[in-house]
């Protein structure tokens, strides 16, 4: 069975499919020792290399796949580029090559999932799949009922209006928000539009997976139950963006 080159690379656990596209564009990928053509598909006998190092196909049963829950500290950057100081790969220092599913910006902390299973990444990331992410947010001044209503109804940022979401006040200057979108710095931009500044932002949950008692810098492997629920939840999710 033939696979598209970017999917083949991501399935090996080397990187996500999006990052594989970048590697191909940069000319760092070879197929059978030659630069691949656009749309190249890979068969069982083809040899694929990145930076002249071969990448191996994933076992059919994905027995070598890793799924981690990590409490990203403030200051860690969600990139696999090892030349970037504070990158998440060096911070986790895991024995196998892994990459993050999605992002948390540098000044934010909390739950992020890491894996070497490229097949599951795009399924989780697509906003139309309505996978929830919950955050605890602190702001620089007292929250008002008007603020809660406007945050939950949708806020104009980045040439669009955010989708309606669930917002619950927790304290005088703190609230929980549940999103199904992943716009760039979304919560910070929403608060800024309404005249508030985020002083602390912690992601507490992704879908059914919670941060729990993990301290900043700690990670754990997903339990069998969490992984089963994850696979069930994304079973019918689109792996590509809808048009």
């Amino acid at each position: 069975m033939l696979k598209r080159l970017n999917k083949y690379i991501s399935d090996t656990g080397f990187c996500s499919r999006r990052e594989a596209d970048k590697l191909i564009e940069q000319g760092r990928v070879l197929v059978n020792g030659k630069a691949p053509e656009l749309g190249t598909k890979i068969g069982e006998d083809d040899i694929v290399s990145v930076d002249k190092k071969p990448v191996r196909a994933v076992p059919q049963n994905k027995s070598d796949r890793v799924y981690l829950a990590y409490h990203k500290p403030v200051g860690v950057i969600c990139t696999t580029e090892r030349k970037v100081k504070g990158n998440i790969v060096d911070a986790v220092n895991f024995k196998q090559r892994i990459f993050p599913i999605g992002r948390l910006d540098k000044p934010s902390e909390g739950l992020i999932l890491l894996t070497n299973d490229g097949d599951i990444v795009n399924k989780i990331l697509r906003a139309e799949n309505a996978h929830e992410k919950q955050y605890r947010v602190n702001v620089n001044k007292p929250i008002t009922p008007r603020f809660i209503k406007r945050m939950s109804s949708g806020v104009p940022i980045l040439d669009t209006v955010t989708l309606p979401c669930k917002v619950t006040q927790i304290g005088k200057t703190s609230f929980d928000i549940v999103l199904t979108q992943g716009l760039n710095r979304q919560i910070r931009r929403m608060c800024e539009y309404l005249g508030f500044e985020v002083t602390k932002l912690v992601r507490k949950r992704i879908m059914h997976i919670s941060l729990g008692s993990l301290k900043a810098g700690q990670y754990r492997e997903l339990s069998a139950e969490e992984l089963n629920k994850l696979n069930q939840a994304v079973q019918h999710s689109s792996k590509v963006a809808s048009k």
Side-chain angles (χ1 to χ4, degrees), residues 83-200:
K83 62 185 179 183
V84 176
K85 186 177 180 179
N87 71 80
I88 196 168
V89 178
D90 287 343
V92 178
N93 194 28
F94 194 69
K95 58 187 177 182
Q96 292 173 250
R97 187 183 181 99
I98 53 176
F99 45 89
I101 302 176
R103 300 177 62 85
L104 263 179
D105 60 15
K106 185 176 179 180
S108 301
E109 66 173 286
L111 179 63
I112 190 162
L113 305 179
L114 298 109
T115 186
N116 56 2
D117 181 0
D119 194 43
I120 205 170
V121 174
N122 285 354
K123 291 183 179 181
I124 294 175
L125 292 183
R126 297 304 177 190
E128 63 261 37
N129 295 325
H131 301 317
E132 291 186 346
K133 297 177 288 292
Q134 181 177 348
Y135 302 81
R136 174 69 52 84
V137 186
N138 289 71
V139 290
N140 63 332
K141 57 186 180 181
I143 294 167
T144 64
R146 182 174 181 271
F147 171 83
I148 296 294
K149 182 177 180 180
R150 294 201 65 186
M151 284 287 288
S152 59
S153 300
V155 177
I157 61 170
L158 298 173
D159 298 322
T160 187
V161 177
T162 59
L163 295 176
C165 59
K166 183 178 180 182
V167 182
T168 306
Q169 185 166 352
I170 300 299
K172 187 177 180 180
T173 58
S174 63
F175 63 94
D176 278 359
I177 182 169
V178 179
L179 301 178
T180 55
Q181 281 179 296
L183 300 177
N184 183 27
R185 296 172 59 88
Q186 180 171 344
I187 296 172
R188 295 179 187 277
R189 291 178 190 274
M190 291 170 73
C191 289
E192 287 169 8
Y193 181 86
L194 298 175
F196 289 73
E197 180 183 344
V198 172
T199 57
K200 186 176 182 180

